[in-house]
Each structure stands twice: as C-alpha cells, then as structure tokens.
Amino acid sequence: MARIIIIGGGLGGLFTGALLAKEGYEVTVLEKNTQIGGGLQTFYRKGIGFESGMHLLGGIRKGGSIYKICRYLGIMEQMDIRDVDHDCMDQITYLSDGKTYYIPEGKDAFTAYFQQLFPSEAEGIRQYVDALYGIVDEIDFFYLRTGNDHIYSHRPEFLWPADQLVAYYIHNQKLRDILSYMNPMFGGYEGHTPAYIHALINVLYINGPSRFAGNSQQMADALKALIEKAGGKVLGGEKVVKIDLEDRVMTAVHTQKGNTYTADKFIAAIHPAVMLQMTDSKAFSRAYRTRIQEASNSYSSFCVYVIFKPHSFPFINHTCYYQSDYGMVWHYDEYDARDFPRGFLYMTPCEKEQGEFATKMIINSIMPYSACAKFADTFTGKRGEEYEAWKQQHIDKVLAKMELLYPGFRERCDTIFASSPLTIRDYYNEPEGALYGLHKDCENIAESQVPVYTKVRNLYMTGQNVNLHGFCGVPLTAINTAEAIVGINKIVDKINAYDAMP
C-alpha cells in the first residue's frame, strides 16, 4: 500500500493516521512538539497532570459517532472515560442577579427545565430545541450516515447567524443569553457564526458530555500505538519546515532537524497558513494564499491553572460557567482590561481515583489575540518581566471573580499559574493562538471553509480548519480525509458494519 506522511500529530493527524493505518497504509506522523497529541497533550506541574485542550467529550457515549469510531479502531476499551452529572451537566452563575442555573442533560430534560423556569416561553423553547436537533439531523455525516452533505442543500436556518436562530424562537433577553452559554465551546461571534455550528455543539452536549479520568494523553497514546502496531511511526520533535513540490505533486518534507521524508501521499493536519509558509510553489495561487492569510481566526483564551491544597475544594463533576451580566455572551471577541474577565468557564478535572475533593482546577477565560499582541515577538520562557507582570495582573483579575463565587478561594490554592494566547500560538502552532482555527462566517461561508482536497494532487488537509473543530468534528473530518484516499463511504460503511455486530 502507499506510504503516507502526516504533518501534525494532534487530534486530526492521529485519527486520520489511525484510520489509514487500519486500511493497510504505511503511515508516518511528524509532530513538531516532543510530546504528541496537540489538544490531547497533558502537561505536569508538581506531579499533577493538566489537560491542555480536550476537557469535555461529546459523542463518545455508547451510540455516539466518536464512540463508534473509537470502538472500530479498537481503542475504546483502552481509555478511562466517565460521564458528567446527568442531572446537572452544566452550571451557570450570573453575578448581576446572583442566579445559578443547573442544566440537566437529555433533550426532554433540557427542554422541561427551561420551560419550568420561563413558562411564558415554553412553546418557543420547545421549538428552539427541536430546531437544534432538526438542523443536526440534516447533517448525515454527523450520524455516520451516507448522504448529501453539501452545505447549500439544507434549510435556510442552517446558515443563519447563530444568535439570530436563538432570537427567532426566544423573546426573553435573559433566556436568549442563557441558551447561548455554550458559545465559548465553538468561538461564536454575533452575526457571523453559522447556526449549524451552534446546533452541533449544543446537541452534542445536551445528549450528554463525558470527560477523561486521569488525562487526555491516553487517547493520543492509544492512537499512536495503533499506528505503530500497523507498521507506522509517530515521531515527536520533528517539526516540518519545508515541503518539496514538483508539477503540482508533493515529493518530500524536510524537518528542522535536517531529516527528509518521502511518501506517495501527504496530509497536512496543521493550520493552512502554516502549511503555506513551507513552500513558495505556484501550485498555490496568489488568490488562495491571500484568502488564507487574510481569513479571520477564531479568538483565543487566557487560562488559569490551580493546584489545590489537600482536601480544600470539592470535586465538581460538571462544567461551571460564570457571567458578570447578561447580554455579553456573543461579544467574547471584545476585550477591555478594566472589566476582564466578563465571563469564563471553570472545571475540576477528574482523576482516576477521584474522591470527594478536587486536586486541581482549570479556569478558561476567552481572550482575543489583540490583548497580548504587544508581546507578539516573544517566545515561551523568554517573554520578559513586563509580560510576566501583565500575566499576573490577569491572573489576579480571574481569582478576584472566583473569590466572589467561593469566598476564601485563594486560601485553598497551593499553586497558581497561567497560559495566554501567545502560549497557545507557540504550543499548537496556531496563528494568533486561535482556539478553533479559522473562523467560520455565515456571511461568506465558502471563503471560510478549507476543503480536504488541495491544488496539489497528492496533498490533503485534515484537522479543525476543515469542516468542524472540536473533539467530535475533528475525528469526523479525519474520515473525510481518509476516504479521499481510500474511497468515499468505504470507512463509514466499515464503521457502521462493525457497530452492528453483536
């Protein structure tokens, strides 16, 4: 079978490589970081592991699309994955009126909960939730069905702005804000983010989220083992810096270490702007280069990590959201140091032997890259005293809000540190530290989509910049990319056939 090289060993590169390895291809994955995994990577402080990106998992419960893929690949049993609280999958607190909402999982429970709180909106709530599920049901591939996934073949609401979809069914301004609380999970912008992305993420989590027990590195390691068992390689510390193209055919890649790798087919599991920097070939037209370079990236985040003193803070088996006030959820791209953070999500990750008390916490505040752009020319570990002071100021701002939620919070903390959009930029090699890659814009959906196929005949794209980002979207895109090589529907049919086996 053909030899395949994949540039990038994150979620997209590893899933694409695993699918192709199972098809008999000789796969080599080249990852720039010493540790593979991308958003699956786990890093350690004082012996405590922190997930770098994949904190919540949708679609991995029995019957879900990612569950089916992982079971087909034979890695489902190798991972320790646990459900969040069924009666409260998410918790939202608003400081302005002191109200907290405890949101249950399941379509019917989710609908009934909000109908009870907002009885005058009962019919609109039912229609809204039905619309979410209706939009997602039109995306055959989300359910691993074979069918027509052309983006322009769907109902008009499919490409409405997401905030417009909410407002169409819901009149109460506060309820509009509450029902949009998952916005940080997909990088939504008012008037621009397509409704189908909002619907996909909401349906995924309404159906019930899960989380890794221990750390997310276990999935990266399982995918790596599968590739290597099939005769392939997954190499960390091999940053690709140059690609060779001849007559619209890719022939080799060169790494920073001076190594050269050749193959029959190549897959770029990296941001397209980063890929274009590796070649000046005319195979990529000036118009294409300009479009990618000028395309908007999604916003980034400022993340605070906490290690608790023993037995000082309770373990919370769901995600919590904080908002200073209503009406801000669609404006995370706006930054003002005076009132940062206006909102954030926080969670206590699950340990393998999880008890009553939490070991650690992750607090994720959305932040645009512009907030730290003055330090853009610095690099990890060498950013200077001014940057460290800026970072500490923002840590203090986040902790001040946590004190409002949990008086005496600081006293429970043993160790506190943080990452900024610059960390994400350098760690993931994502321009502007974009959490979700290129920003999808319903006003110009064709220009914000990156296809699997490229102008180079044996080069394909995969990862969060193709189709949909996230824990569910990236593995589904991996199938798209793999099937561009092995044949349309061949892998999906195998996954469904395997799932039907007793």
Side-chain angles (χ1 to χ4, degrees), residues 15 61 94 143 148 152-153 174 248 252 283 285 296 300 313 334-335 355 394 430 460 466 470 473 485 492:
F15 261 102
R61 294 190 187 178
Y94 287 84
Y143 295 106
N148 180 15
Y152 298 108
S153 65
K174 286 188 176 181
R248 294 190 182 277
S285 67
S296 297
S300 191
F313 194 90
E334 301 170 8
Y335 168 81
H394 285 75
E430 285 286 335
Y460 308 85
V466 184
I485 294 172
V492 169

mmCIF file of all heavy atoms in Angstrom, residues 15 61 94 143 148 152-153 174 248 252 283 285 296 300 313 334-335 355 394 430 460 466 470 473 485 492:
data_model
loop_
_atom_site.group_PDB
_atom_site.id
_atom_site.type_symbol
_atom_site.label_atom_id
_atom_site.label_comp_id
_atom_site.label_asym_id
_atom_site.label_seq_id
_atom_site.Cartn_x
_atom_site.Cartn_y
_atom_site.Cartn_z
ATOM 1 N N PHE A 15 -6.005 10.731 14.365
ATOM 2 C CA PHE A 15 -7.187 9.976 13.929
ATOM 3 C C PHE A 15 -7.104 9.629 12.452
ATOM 4 O O PHE A 15 -7.425 8.504 12.045
ATOM 5 C CB PHE A 15 -8.471 10.760 14.232
ATOM 6 C CG PHE A 15 -9.164 10.310 15.480
ATOM 7 C CD1 PHE A 15 -9.046 11.046 16.649
ATOM 8 C CD2 PHE A 15 -9.922 9.156 15.504
ATOM 9 C CE1 PHE A 15 -9.665 10.631 17.818
ATOM 10 C CE2 PHE A 15 -10.551 8.732 16.663
ATOM 11 C CZ PHE A 15 -10.430 9.474 17.827
ATOM 12 N N ARG A 61 -20.292 8.634 24.228
ATOM 13 C CA ARG A 61 -21.104 7.638 24.928
ATOM 14 C C ARG A 61 -21.601 6.610 23.907
ATOM 15 O O ARG A 61 -21.622 6.854 22.711
ATOM 16 C CB ARG A 61 -22.283 8.309 25.624
ATOM 17 C CG ARG A 61 -21.866 9.224 26.749
ATOM 18 C CD ARG A 61 -23.063 9.666 27.561
ATOM 19 N NE ARG A 61 -22.702 10.682 28.540
ATOM 20 C CZ ARG A 61 -23.570 11.262 29.351
ATOM 21 N NH1 ARG A 61 -24.857 10.918 29.292
ATOM 22 N NH2 ARG A 61 -23.180 12.182 30.219
ATOM 23 N N TYR A 94 -24.784 33.924 37.215
ATOM 24 C CA TYR A 94 -24.719 35.329 36.812
ATOM 25 C C TYR A 94 -24.532 36.190 38.055
ATOM 26 O O TYR A 94 -25.322 36.108 39.006
ATOM 27 C CB TYR A 94 -25.993 35.741 36.079
ATOM 28 C CG TYR A 94 -26.100 35.180 34.682
ATOM 29 C CD1 TYR A 94 -26.599 33.901 34.467
ATOM 30 C CD2 TYR A 94 -25.695 35.926 33.573
ATOM 31 C CE1 TYR A 94 -26.696 33.372 33.190
ATOM 32 C CE2 TYR A 94 -25.788 35.411 32.296
ATOM 33 C CZ TYR A 94 -26.287 34.138 32.112
ATOM 34 O OH TYR A 94 -26.376 33.614 30.831
ATOM 35 N N TYR A 143 -24.002 11.668 11.982
ATOM 36 C CA TYR A 143 -24.500 10.392 12.484
ATOM 37 C C TYR A 143 -23.907 9.213 11.722
ATOM 38 O O TYR A 143 -24.415 8.101 11.797
ATOM 39 C CB TYR A 143 -26.022 10.359 12.395
ATOM 40 C CG TYR A 143 -26.694 11.370 13.301
ATOM 41 C CD1 TYR A 143 -27.274 12.517 12.774
ATOM 42 C CD2 TYR A 143 -26.737 11.172 14.681
ATOM 43 C CE1 TYR A 143 -27.883 13.459 13.606
ATOM 44 C CE2 TYR A 143 -27.345 12.101 15.511
ATOM 45 C CZ TYR A 143 -27.921 13.236 14.962
ATOM 46 O OH TYR A 143 -28.517 14.160 15.791
ATOM 47 N N ASN A 148 -26.165 13.277 1.285
ATOM 48 C CA ASN A 148 -25.747 14.545 0.691
ATOM 49 C C ASN A 148 -25.394 15.528 1.789
ATOM 50 O O ASN A 148 -26.262 15.991 2.508
ATOM 51 C CB ASN A 148 -26.880 15.108 -0.177
ATOM 52 C CG ASN A 148 -26.503 16.434 -0.817
ATOM 53 O OD1 ASN A 148 -25.332 16.811 -0.846
ATOM 54 N ND2 ASN A 148 -27.499 17.122 -1.342
ATOM 55 N N TYR A 152 -25.056 23.757 0.983
ATOM 56 C CA TYR A 152 -26.124 24.620 0.475
ATOM 57 C C TYR A 152 -27.428 23.856 0.235
ATOM 58 O O TYR A 152 -28.385 24.409 -0.290
ATOM 59 C CB TYR A 152 -25.660 25.298 -0.816
ATOM 60 C CG TYR A 152 -24.460 26.191 -0.595
ATOM 61 C CD1 TYR A 152 -23.205 25.829 -1.068
ATOM 62 C CD2 TYR A 152 -24.566 27.380 0.127
ATOM 63 C CE1 TYR A 152 -22.096 26.640 -0.849
ATOM 64 C CE2 TYR A 152 -23.470 28.189 0.352
ATOM 65 C CZ TYR A 152 -22.236 27.812 -0.140
ATOM 66 O OH TYR A 152 -21.135 28.595 0.083
ATOM 67 N N SER A 153 -27.477 22.598 0.599
ATOM 68 C CA SER A 153 -28.681 21.801 0.368
ATOM 69 C C SER A 153 -29.583 21.760 1.590
ATOM 70 O O SER A 153 -30.562 21.036 1.598
ATOM 71 C CB SER A 153 -28.285 20.371 -0.025
ATOM 72 O OG SER A 153 -27.629 19.725 1.051
ATOM 73 N N LYS A 174 -32.942 37.590 28.713
ATOM 74 C CA LYS A 174 -32.096 36.792 29.603
ATOM 75 C C LYS A 174 -32.021 35.349 29.138
ATOM 76 O O LYS A 174 -30.954 34.728 29.142
ATOM 77 C CB LYS A 174 -32.626 36.861 31.040
ATOM 78 C CG LYS A 174 -32.370 38.183 31.741
ATOM 79 C CD LYS A 174 -32.753 38.105 33.205
ATOM 80 C CE LYS A 174 -32.394 39.400 33.935
ATOM 81 N NZ LYS A 174 -32.727 39.342 35.377
ATOM 82 N N ARG A 248 2.788 20.259 -9.328
ATOM 83 C CA ARG A 248 1.584 20.008 -8.521
ATOM 84 C C ARG A 248 1.575 18.621 -7.877
ATOM 85 O O ARG A 248 0.518 18.033 -7.631
ATOM 86 C CB ARG A 248 0.305 20.210 -9.350
ATOM 87 C CG ARG A 248 0.097 21.651 -9.782
ATOM 88 C CD ARG A 248 -1.290 21.863 -10.393
ATOM 89 N NE ARG A 248 -1.465 23.228 -10.848
ATOM 90 C CZ ARG A 248 -1.811 24.247 -10.078
ATOM 91 N NH1 ARG A 248 -2.029 24.041 -8.802
ATOM 92 N NH2 ARG A 248 -1.952 25.452 -10.569
ATOM 93 N N ALA A 252 8.407 15.464 -0.997
ATOM 94 C CA ALA A 252 9.127 15.257 0.257
ATOM 95 C C ALA A 252 8.837 16.375 1.240
ATOM 96 O O ALA A 252 8.364 17.456 0.855
ATOM 97 C CB ALA A 252 10.639 15.167 -0.009
ATOM 98 N N ALA A 283 1.929 26.256 -7.131
ATOM 99 C CA ALA A 283 0.796 25.335 -7.060
ATOM 100 C C ALA A 283 -0.329 25.942 -6.242
ATOM 101 O O ALA A 283 -1.507 25.631 -6.451
ATOM 102 C CB ALA A 283 1.233 24.010 -6.450
ATOM 103 N N SER A 285 -2.103 29.323 -5.668
ATOM 104 C CA SER A 285 -2.220 30.612 -6.348
ATOM 105 C C SER A 285 -2.122 31.774 -5.373
ATOM 106 O O SER A 285 -2.331 31.610 -4.157
ATOM 107 C CB SER A 285 -3.563 30.693 -7.078
ATOM 108 O OG SER A 285 -4.631 30.722 -6.152
ATOM 109 N N SER A 296 -10.114 35.449 8.853
ATOM 110 C CA SER A 296 -10.156 35.695 10.299
ATOM 111 C C SER A 296 -9.958 34.388 11.062
ATOM 112 O O SER A 296 -10.515 33.347 10.693
ATOM 113 C CB SER A 296 -11.492 36.313 10.692
ATOM 114 O OG SER A 296 -11.661 37.567 10.068
ATOM 115 N N SER A 300 -8.930 33.448 21.131
ATOM 116 C CA SER A 300 -8.083 32.587 21.928
ATOM 117 C C SER A 300 -8.558 32.596 23.378
ATOM 118 O O SER A 300 -9.721 32.912 23.646
ATOM 119 C CB SER A 300 -6.626 33.060 21.805
ATOM 120 O OG SER A 300 -5.737 32.117 22.352
ATOM 121 N N PHE A 313 -11.032 21.833 48.410
ATOM 122 C CA PHE A 313 -12.059 22.274 47.465
ATOM 123 C C PHE A 313 -12.784 21.045 46.928
ATOM 124 O O PHE A 313 -12.161 20.060 46.538
ATOM 125 C CB PHE A 313 -11.417 23.047 46.307
ATOM 126 C CG PHE A 313 -12.417 23.811 45.470
ATOM 127 C CD1 PHE A 313 -12.748 25.120 45.801
ATOM 128 C CD2 PHE A 313 -13.036 23.222 44.385
ATOM 129 C CE1 PHE A 313 -13.678 25.830 45.045
ATOM 130 C CE2 PHE A 313 -13.970 23.923 43.623
ATOM 131 C CZ PHE A 313 -14.290 25.220 43.954
ATOM 132 N N GLU A 334 -14.606 40.930 22.128
ATOM 133 C CA GLU A 334 -14.328 42.281 22.602
ATOM 134 C C GLU A 334 -13.575 42.193 23.929
ATOM 135 O O GLU A 334 -13.950 41.432 24.813
ATOM 136 C CB GLU A 334 -15.627 43.052 22.782
ATOM 137 C CG GLU A 334 -16.440 43.162 21.493
ATOM 138 C CD GLU A 334 -17.838 43.717 21.738
ATOM 139 O OE1 GLU A 334 -18.110 44.159 22.874
ATOM 140 O OE2 GLU A 334 -18.658 43.690 20.801
ATOM 141 N N TYR A 335 -12.526 42.973 24.048
ATOM 142 C CA TYR A 335 -11.691 42.905 25.254
ATOM 143 C C TYR A 335 -11.513 44.291 25.845
ATOM 144 O O TYR A 335 -11.235 45.266 25.143
ATOM 145 C CB TYR A 335 -10.321 42.319 24.893
ATOM 146 C CG TYR A 335 -9.285 42.466 25.980
ATOM 147 C CD1 TYR A 335 -9.238 41.590 27.064
ATOM 148 C CD2 TYR A 335 -8.343 43.498 25.924
ATOM 149 C CE1 TYR A 335 -8.279 41.730 28.059
ATOM 150 C CE2 TYR A 335 -7.378 43.640 26.914
ATOM 151 C CZ TYR A 335 -7.359 42.761 27.982
ATOM 152 O OH TYR A 335 -6.415 42.896 28.958
ATOM 153 N N GLY A 355 -11.977 11.278 44.398
ATOM 154 C CA GLY A 355 -12.724 11.245 45.642
ATOM 155 C C GLY A 355 -13.586 12.478 45.804
ATOM 156 O O GLY A 355 -13.959 13.141 44.829
ATOM 157 N N HIS A 394 -3.674 39.636 35.115
ATOM 158 C CA HIS A 394 -4.865 38.941 34.623
ATOM 159 C C HIS A 394 -5.201 37.728 35.480
ATOM 160 O O HIS A 394 -6.384 37.396 35.650
ATOM 161 C CB HIS A 394 -4.672 38.559 33.155
ATOM 162 C CG HIS A 394 -4.794 39.730 32.227
ATOM 163 N ND1 HIS A 394 -3.808 40.685 32.105
ATOM 164 C CD2 HIS A 394 -5.798 40.124 31.403
ATOM 165 C CE1 HIS A 394 -4.189 41.593 31.242
ATOM 166 N NE2 HIS A 394 -5.393 41.288 30.802
ATOM 167 N N GLU A 430 -0.679 27.604 16.102
ATOM 168 C CA GLU A 430 -1.903 28.184 15.552
ATOM 169 C C GLU A 430 -1.736 29.703 15.471
ATOM 170 O O GLU A 430 -1.504 30.349 16.496
ATOM 171 C CB GLU A 430 -3.108 27.864 16.440
ATOM 172 C CG GLU A 430 -3.592 26.441 16.325
ATOM 173 C CD GLU A 430 -4.328 26.177 15.023
ATOM 174 O OE1 GLU A 430 -4.875 27.130 14.436
ATOM 175 O OE2 GLU A 430 -4.354 25.015 14.591
ATOM 176 N N TYR A 460 -3.475 16.463 1.004
ATOM 177 C CA TYR A 460 -4.822 16.609 1.550
ATOM 178 C C TYR A 460 -4.744 17.367 2.878
ATOM 179 O O TYR A 460 -3.697 17.443 3.504
ATOM 180 C CB TYR A 460 -5.459 15.228 1.762
ATOM 181 C CG TYR A 460 -5.416 14.354 0.544
ATOM 182 C CD1 TYR A 460 -4.296 13.574 0.268
ATOM 183 C CD2 TYR A 460 -6.488 14.309 -0.358
ATOM 184 C CE1 TYR A 460 -4.243 12.774 -0.867
ATOM 185 C CE2 TYR A 460 -6.439 13.509 -1.486
ATOM 186 C CZ TYR A 460 -5.316 12.752 -1.740
ATOM 187 O OH TYR A 460 -5.260 11.963 -2.866
ATOM 188 N N VAL A 466 -10.837 22.237 8.753
ATOM 189 C CA VAL A 466 -11.657 21.607 7.730
ATOM 190 C C VAL A 466 -12.978 21.194 8.381
ATOM 191 O O VAL A 466 -12.977 20.511 9.400
ATOM 192 C CB VAL A 466 -10.959 20.377 7.134
ATOM 193 C CG1 VAL A 466 -11.782 19.770 6.004
ATOM 194 C CG2 VAL A 466 -9.560 20.745 6.634
ATOM 195 N N GLY A 470 -13.114 20.688 17.118
ATOM 196 C CA GLY A 470 -13.549 20.068 18.368
ATOM 197 C C GLY A 470 -13.396 18.563 18.404
ATOM 198 O O GLY A 470 -13.044 17.898 17.428
ATOM 199 N N GLY A 473 -15.927 17.008 15.867
ATOM 200 C CA GLY A 473 -15.766 17.435 14.480
ATOM 201 C C GLY A 473 -14.479 16.966 13.842
ATOM 202 O O GLY A 473 -14.461 16.571 12.655
ATOM 203 N N ILE A 485 -8.707 9.322 0.114
ATOM 204 C CA ILE A 485 -7.625 8.456 -0.360
ATOM 205 C C ILE A 485 -8.118 7.045 -0.659
ATOM 206 O O ILE A 485 -7.785 6.465 -1.693
ATOM 207 C CB ILE A 485 -6.491 8.424 0.692
ATOM 208 C CG1 ILE A 485 -5.845 9.815 0.804
ATOM 209 C CG2 ILE A 485 -5.436 7.372 0.337
ATOM 210 C CD1 ILE A 485 -4.844 9.948 1.934
ATOM 211 N N VAL A 492 -16.767 4.644 6.430
ATOM 212 C CA VAL A 492 -18.044 4.791 7.142
ATOM 213 C C VAL A 492 -18.818 3.488 7.119
ATOM 214 O O VAL A 492 -19.384 3.063 8.138
ATOM 215 C CB VAL A 492 -18.881 5.934 6.521
ATOM 216 C CG1 VAL A 492 -20.301 5.910 7.075
ATOM 217 C CG2 VAL A 492 -18.260 7.283 6.813
#
